Amino acid sequence: MSGPPGPEDPCGCGVDSQSRATNRRSDFTAITERLDRELRDERTQRRVLTSYVIELWRRGGRVGPDTPAGPSPDPPADLDLTPWRQ
């Protein structure tokens, strides 16, 4: 436990303000790195999804209502479909 508040520890939390500031900076850095990574992953998934949708749209333009279509193309292997399978 920490002692009573004093001049060297004004909040009484046992941690000086400089180390709290360092912890906040490291927390901020960790959060921004995580958000950057998640944004990069999201952009990659959007790019893959967009290319697949465009491929389906182009296929729809080639295949008319009276044309035997055959099976639709499979989605790319790196496309994460888990949000739509819940």
Side-chain angles (χ1 to χ4, degrees):
M1 288 278 160
S2 62
E8 64 280 344
D9 187 13
C11 71
C13 55
V15 179
D16 66 350
S17 61
Q18 188 168 2
S19 94
R20 281 192 319 226
T22 302
N23 288 340
R24 283 195 301 266
R25 273 193 297 277
S26 73
D27 290 346
F28 179 77
T29 301
I31 290 168
T32 55
E33 287 173 353
R34 177 181 169 200
L35 290 173
D36 287 343
R37 185 176 57 252
E38 288 176 359
L39 180 62
R40 189 172 41 254
D41 294 345
E42 176 71 21
R43 284 181 176 163
T44 300
Q45 284 299 307
R46 284 178 184 249
R47 202 172 300 122
V48 172
L49 179 62
T50 301
S51 67
Y52 181 58
V53 168
I54 289 173
E55 179 183 345
L56 289 175
W57 179 71
R58 287 181 180 156
R59 182 178 183 275
R62 291 189 306 264
V63 177
D66 53 350
T67 308
S72 63
D74 290 330
D78 53 349
L79 178 60
D80 182 17
L81 296 174
T82 53
W84 290 278
R85 291 184 176 154
Q86 293 179 356

